[in-house]
Amino acid sequence: MRRWSRRAFVAALLKAGGLVGAVRPSSASDTPLRFGVTPVILDDDVGFLKRWSEWLAGKLDRRVVLVQRTRYQEIVDLLLRGQLHLAWICGYPYVQHQGQLELIAVPLWHGRPLYRSEFIVPVESEAQAPEDLAGRLFAWTDPDSNSGWLYPRFRLDASGFDPDRFFRRSIFTWGHARSLQAVANGLVDGAAVDSYVRETLMLHLPPLAKAVRVIERSPLFGFPPIVAGPALDPAGRRRMQSALFGQATDTEGRALLANLNLDGFSTAGPEVYADIAAMAEHLGRSRRS
Amino acid sequence: MTRMLASYRVRLPLALSVTAVSTAVLLALALGLQTLHNLREDQGRNAQRLGHAMAALLVGALRQDNVWLAYSLLRGPDGADGNLIWVLADENGRIFASNRPRTYRLDQLLEQALPGLEAVRSARNDAVQAFEVEGRPEIRRLVHLALESEGARVGDLFALLSDRPFLQRFYEILLGGVLVTGGVLAFLLPIGWIWGRRIVAPLVQLADCMARVGRDDLRTLDCPVATGDDEIGQLGRCFTAMLGALSEKAQLEHRILQSERLAAVGRVAAGVAHEINNPLGGMVMAIDTYRGGGPADARTTRLLDLLDRGLHQIQETVSALLVEARADSRALTPADFEDVQTLTEPRPTRCGAPLTWRVDFEAQTSLPATPVRQLLLNLVLNALKAAGDGGTASVDISATDGRLGIDVENTGRPLPPERLDRLFEPFPSRRRDGEGLGLWVCYQIVSQLRGSIDVDAQGALTRVRVRIPLQPDDDDA
C-alpha cells in the first residue's frame, strides 16, 4: 500500500468532516470506547488510525471508536459533555479544563514528553525573525492550539506587539499540516506550527517540509497529552494507561509508535504544562471556561 | 535539375508527395484547430460547472471568513498545477482565495492584481468572455460567477482560462500529422517512382520511334508502341496510323518516280528506235538492191551476208524495244490463257519448278489477245526462270471489278531490293541471264493497256501483280 502518496495525502487533508473509524473486537461486551483525535498528530492517515484503534481494542478487550472533528474545540466539548471517553488534545485546552480532565499519558518524543512551537516562513522568504512578518499574511492553526496560537501570540505580546494587529491579515487553517502547506504554497507569509508535526511530516513528505524554513523555535513545552473526560471510569483509565505505557514493549505497538514517530507514552505529570498555563493566564485569553 | 524536374519519373512522385503532404498538414491543422476549439469550449463549460458546484461552499467560506476552506476548494484535487486559475474575491473587491496564492495574494485589491476585472465584476455576464492580463499572455478568457446569499452579493468567483494546457495536445496532433505524412511518403515515393516509370515508359518508346521517323526507311520501320485504352495508347495508335499513312505516301511517291523514270526510258527508247529504224531500213534496202543488181564475187557475198545479219540483229533489238500493244488484233478469250498454259507446259519439267495454274476468267473483254498473251508468257517464263531448281511458281488469272488480274508468284532466290527498284528497266546492268527485255516488254504492254504492274518481294517469295481494265479506251493506242 502506498500510504503517503501526495494525492492521497492532499485528498485526506481536504477531508474536513468528522471521520469515524469503528472497530469490532473479538468480544464486544459493553459500549465502545470513544477516543477523540485532533490534528496534534497527523490525523489524516486513516489506515494508521484504524490499525492503532484495532491494536488498542485488542489490549483493552473493548471496541474502540476514533472520533475526529475539524476543530480542537469540538473534541474538547464532546469530551467535557461525556460523549467521548478519551481524547488526544493540545496542552492548551488541557490547562484550560484541567479540573474536568485527567491526564492519562504524555507521549515521548526524542525521549522526552516535550515539543516546541516553531515560526516558519517559505524557504525563499527574507524574514529572519517573527518581527519581520509585521504587516504580512499569517496562518494560525487553531485558537485552542498552544504551538499554533497561544505561544506565537505570547511571543509577539512579549515583544510589545498586539497579536491582533501585528499581521495585515491572518487565517485559521485548523491543522499544523495545513499551516505548513499554506506557507509552502505561498498562501501566507508565515505560520507557527508544532515542531513534532513538522518533523514527522518531513519524514512523510520531504518536498513539503523542505519548502518551509524555521526562523525561530520556542522553549520546550509539554507534549499534547492523552486525557480522559468524565465519561471514563477509573478502571477504564487504568486499563488505558497500562495499554499505552506498555505499547513500546509490544512488537506491533512499537511499529505503530514508529509510524507516529514517537518513542512511547510516559507518566509525566501536569507540571510539564505549567508554562502553557502561565502563558494562557498572561494573555488572559482563557475564552472557554 | 530543371531537366530532372521535367521528367514525369520525378514529377509524378513529387506531385503525389506534395498532395499527400499538403493533405496531411491541412488535415492535421484542421483537426488541431477543431480540437483546440472543442477543448476551449470544454474548458469554459467545465469552469462554469465547477464554479457552480463550488458556489455554495464558497459562499459559506466567505461568510465565515474561512480562507483555508476556500483555498482548499479552489486548489481542488490538482493542486497548484491545475489548468484553471481561480480567483475568489470578497464583497469589498479584495482577493479572498486563489489556487495561485503567490500571484494573487490574499487581501490584495482585485483591480490591482487583475486590472479590468472590476468591469467584468459589475457586468455580471456568466458566459465565457475574452479577457487579457498585461504580462500574462497565456490568459485568454475568463468565466465570472457572482456569489450571492439571499440575494446579497457576498463575493465573486473568476476562472482565468488559458490555452497553455491545449497547446501541448495541439502540437501532438501536428506532430502526428507530420509523422503520418512521413510514413505515407515512405510508402508513396517508391510507388510514385514506379508508377511514373510505367507511365513514362510508353512515352519514351513513342519518342524513340518518332526520332527514327525521317532517319530510317519508313517502309521498314518496325516500332512497337503502346496501344492501351488510355490516352497514351490512343497516342500510340494515332502514331501507328500516321506512320502507316506516311509509309503509304512514301511508297506512292516511290512508284510514281519509278513509273516516270520508266516512261522517260520508254520515250528515249522509242525515239532512238525510230531514229535508228530509218537509216537501218535504208541500209537493208541498199543491200537488197545491190544483190538484185547481179551476182557478186564470193568475198563480197560473204561481207553482204555479214552486214545483212548484223543489220537484222539491230532491227530485232530495236523492235523489241518498241513494244506495240496494237488494238487491231482480235479480242482476248479464255482460250488464249489455255494456249499459254500449253505453251509453257513442258518448261516446268525441264527447270524442275512445279507450276500451278488457276484460271477464273469468264468476262467479256475488248482487250487485244496478242499483247496479253505475250505479257502472260513473259511473266510465266520469267517466274520459272527465277524459281530455278527447287522453287515453285503459280499463276492466278481472274476478272474482278472490271479488270483482268494476273498474279504470278514464285519462290526461289530472294530478289535484292536494289534490283527490285530497276526491275522493269531495259538491260539492267547486273543481269547476266536472258536478253533483259522480258519485264521491260511486260511493263510497256501493261502501260499501253492502261493497267498497273507491281512487284512485291517478301523473302524468297516474289509476286508480280498485274491489273488491266477489261474495256480500255479504243482511241488510245
Side-chain angles (χ1 to χ4, degrees):
Chain A
M1 195 174 113
R2 213 177 61 214
R3 257 191 296 120
W4 281 100
S5 82
R6 178 163 173 270
R7 188 171 281 264
F9 181 75
V10 171
L13 269 183
L14 289 167
K15 273 202 188 97
L19 175 90
V20 178
V23 174
R24 192 185 305 276
S26 48
S27 58
S29 50
D30 46 8
T31 52
L33 185 79
R34 292 173 62 81
F35 192 164
V37 182
T38 57
V40 295
I41 57 165
L42 291 175
D43 59 344
D44 298 298
D45 187 352
V46 181
F48 164 75
L49 291 179
K50 197 176 168 203
R51 282 199 306 284
W52 191 40
S53 63
E54 277 169 5
W55 182 85
L56 278 175
K59 291 291 167 194
L60 302 172
D61 195 23
R62 186 176 178 181
R63 216 144 64 84
V64 174
V65 175
L66 293 183
V67 179
Q68 289 178 294
R69 290 292 182 268
T70 311
R71 305 180 184 194
Y72 291 17
Q73 188 200 334
E74 293 174 68
I75 291 291
V76 173
D77 285 349
L78 288 174
L79 192 62
L80 294 175
R81 286 210 306 271
Q83 289 176 9
L84 291 177
H85 296 103
L86 290 155
W88 195 339
I89 58 172
C90 185
Y92 180 36
Y94 166 66
V95 298
Q96 286 173 293
H97 308 284
Q98 220 164 352
Q100 293 142 285
L101 302 173
E102 192 190 336
L103 204 56
I104 296 293
V106 182
L108 287 171
W109 183 48
H110 294 323
R112 293 183 296 179
L114 303 170
Y115 82 123
R116 296 172 199 270
S117 169
E118 295 174 336
F119 278 94
I120 56 165
V121 294
V123 74
E124 69 274 9
S125 168
E126 290 169 0
Q128 297 299 327
E131 284 77 7
D132 296 335
L133 293 173
R136 310 295 292 273
L137 302 172
F138 194 79
W140 307 112
T141 304
D142 188 296
D144 283 309
S145 165
N146 170 45
S147 58
W149 169 261
L150 181 65
Y151 171 73
R153 291 175 73 84
F154 177 81
R155 164 72 177 76
L156 292 173
D157 182 77
S159 301
F161 299 110
D162 178 355
D164 288 327
R165 295 196 165 78
F166 182 69
F167 303 111
R168 177 157 59 92
R169 172 139 189 192
S170 59
I171 63 167
F172 283 106
T173 62
W174 318 108
H176 296 290
R178 295 182 199 166
S179 283
L180 273 158
Q181 281 212 321
V183 173
N185 295 347
L187 180 63
V188 290
D189 300 309
V193 295
D194 183 324
S195 64
Y196 156 75
V197 172
R198 188 186 61 77
E199 286 190 24
T200 306
L201 198 62
M202 202 190 275
L203 299 176
H204 295 305
L205 273 180
L208 179 64
K210 276 178 194 159
V212 302
R213 185 162 56 88
V214 177
I215 52 169
E216 192 176 292
R217 286 172 217 275
S218 75
L220 290 163
F221 297 113
F223 202 96
I226 292 172
V227 297
L232 191 63
D233 56 33
R237 295 179 186 194
R238 277 194 302 279
R239 285 172 72 179
M240 189 69 197
Q241 276 177 323
S242 74
L244 290 174
F245 295 154
Q247 188 169 351
T249 58
D250 179 281
T251 315
E252 203 190 334
R254 260 204 308 279
L256 290 165
L257 281 172
N259 207 306
L260 276 170
N261 192 29
L262 291 176
D263 303 319
F265 292 95
S266 75
T267 53
E271 65 279 2
V272 294
Y273 301 103
D275 289 344
I276 296 176
M279 284 192 299
E281 197 179 343
H282 174 80
L283 285 178
R285 289 271 178 187
S286 307
R287 291 179 297 164
R288 330 226 175 271
S289 51
Chain B
M1 187 65 198
T2 328
R3 237 185 97 77
M4 228 183 85
L5 276 178
S7 167
Y8 275 101
R9 226 173 279 185
V10 175
R11 273 162 72 175
L12 206 71
L14 213 63
L16 273 174
S17 310
V18 167
T19 313
V21 169
S22 45
T23 306
V25 166
L26 284 177
L27 213 62
L29 210 63
L31 274 176
L33 288 175
Q34 183 60 45
T35 308
L36 195 64
H37 178 76
N38 291 348
L39 288 172
R40 279 176 176 165
E41 276 194 343
D42 286 355
Q43 189 193 42
R45 261 200 300 277
N46 279 342
Q48 283 167 330
R49 210 174 295 145
L50 268 173
H52 281 290
M54 293 188 294
L57 278 171
L58 290 177
V59 167
L62 281 165
R63 291 179 62 179
Q64 294 163 16
D65 196 25
N66 193 340
V67 173
W68 178 261
L69 175 62
Y71 168 69
S72 38
L73 262 177
L74 295 184
R75 214 169 52 129
D78 292 340
D81 308 324
N83 293 329
L84 299 175
I85 298 176
W86 292 102
V87 177
L88 176 67
D90 63 17
E91 55 188 331
N92 303 318
R94 287 180 177 273
I95 291 174
F96 187 77
S98 167
N99 58 342
R100 299 286 190 281
R102 282 179 220 278
T103 317
Y104 306 109
R105 302 289 289 168
L106 175 63
D107 218 33
Q108 196 181 8
L109 265 175
L110 193 62
E111 193 56 30
Q112 192 184 338
L114 291 158
L117 267 197
E118 269 303 327
V120 174
R121 193 165 164 249
S122 39
R124 302 199 57 150
N125 177 2
D126 58 0
V128 180
Q129 44 197 301
F131 185 72
E132 283 178 3
V133 183
E134 207 174 324
R136 301 291 301 272
E138 76 274 16
I139 294 172
R140 299 292 194 81
R141 299 169 298 283
L142 73 70
V143 171
H144 170 229
L145 191 65
L147 299 176
E148 293 181 338
S149 174
E150 312 284 333
R153 178 88 75 102
V154 292
D156 296 272
L157 180 64
F158 302 94
L160 307 177
L161 315 178
S162 89
D163 284 342
R164 193 182 278 174
F166 315 143
L167 288 180
Q168 178 67 21
R169 284 169 73 178
F170 184 65
Y171 291 140
E172 275 169 13
I173 288 174
L174 277 189
L175 182 71
V178 168
L179 286 180
V180 166
T181 308
V184 166
L185 275 189
F187 180 67
L188 272 187
L189 277 177
I191 285 188
W193 196 76
I194 292 168
W195 193 12
R197 260 175 70 117
R198 287 193 58 175
I199 286 186
V200 165
L203 285 175
V204 169
Q205 204 177 23
L206 199 61
D208 285 346
C209 275
M210 284 180 171
R212 284 167 61 190
V213 173
R215 203 174 57 204
D216 296 4
D217 189 349
L218 279 177
R219 286 168 298 175
T220 58
L221 195 65
D222 181 28
C223 231
V225 292
T227 53
D229 287 333
D230 54 2
E231 286 81 353
I232 293 175
Q234 217 172 328
L235 193 63
R237 280 198 300 278
C238 286
F239 177 71
T240 310
M242 187 196 80
L243 219 54
L246 278 177
S247 156
E248 218 166 275
K249 183 170 168 270
Q251 255 169 1
L252 198 65
E253 279 174 355
H254 186 258
R255 263 209 302 275
I256 288 170
L257 266 177
Q258 206 176 21
S259 63
E260 275 177 359
R261 193 168 66 225
L262 287 171
V265 171
R267 278 196 299 277
V268 170
V272 169
H274 188 71
E275 292 305 317
I276 289 172
N277 265 346
N278 285 344
L280 203 62
M283 280 190 274
V284 171
M285 207 178 298
I287 290 170
D288 277 351
T289 309
Y290 188 82
R291 275 180 177 154
D297 57 64
R299 200 163 150 243
T300 309
T301 305
R302 208 166 54 245
L303 181 70
L304 285 178
D305 285 350
L306 182 71
L307 282 173
D308 195 38
R309 281 198 301 279
L311 289 174
H312 270 99
Q313 193 187 345
I314 294 171
Q315 209 167 20
E316 269 174 37
T317 307
V318 168
S319 63
L321 272 173
L322 273 177
V323 182
E324 292 284 326
R326 297 229 174 264
D328 53 1
S329 75
R330 64 179 172 81
L332 184 71
T333 61
D336 290 308
F337 299 119
E338 286 166 27
D339 290 351
V340 177
Q341 194 174 353
T342 311
L343 284 169
T344 55
E345 204 75 330
R347 296 274 183 152
T349 47
R350 207 179 64 198
C351 295
L355 176 65
T356 50
W357 280 84
R358 194 165 66 247
V359 179
D360 180 18
F361 187 81
E362 299 291 336
Q364 287 294 313
T365 178
S366 60
L367 280 172
T370 315
V372 174
R373 282 170 68 119
Q374 192 188 349
L375 167 71
L376 185 57
L377 194 62
N378 277 2
L379 289 177
V380 171
L381 293 179
N382 210 53
L384 287 171
K385 202 186 294 171
D389 291 339
T392 59
S394 70
V395 181
D396 190 343
I397 311 287
S398 62
T400 47
D401 301 334
R403 287 193 298 178
L404 163 67
I406 302 171
D407 292 280
V408 181
E409 288 180 8
N410 71 273
T411 61
R413 283 162 306 167
L415 215 52
E418 67 275 9
R419 261 221 26 224
L420 203 60
D421 272 357
R422 301 182 172 274
L423 209 56
F424 296 113
E425 292 174 16
F427 311 117
S429 53
R430 286 191 206 98
R431 195 160 168 186
R432 293 167 206 279
D433 45 349
E435 73 283 0
L437 283 173
L439 283 172
W440 161 254
V441 169
C442 291
Y443 185 83
Q444 294 300 317
I445 290 169
V446 170
S447 300
Q448 285 169 31
L449 294 176
R450 307 189 138 219
S452 66
I453 180 166
D454 292 299
V455 180
D456 186 15
Q458 285 177 345
L461 184 74
T462 308
R463 177 193 290 147
V464 182
R465 193 164 164 276
V466 175
R467 292 289 181 274
I468 302 169
L470 288 171
Q471 310 294 339
D473 293 338
D474 285 359
D475 51 43
D476 193 276

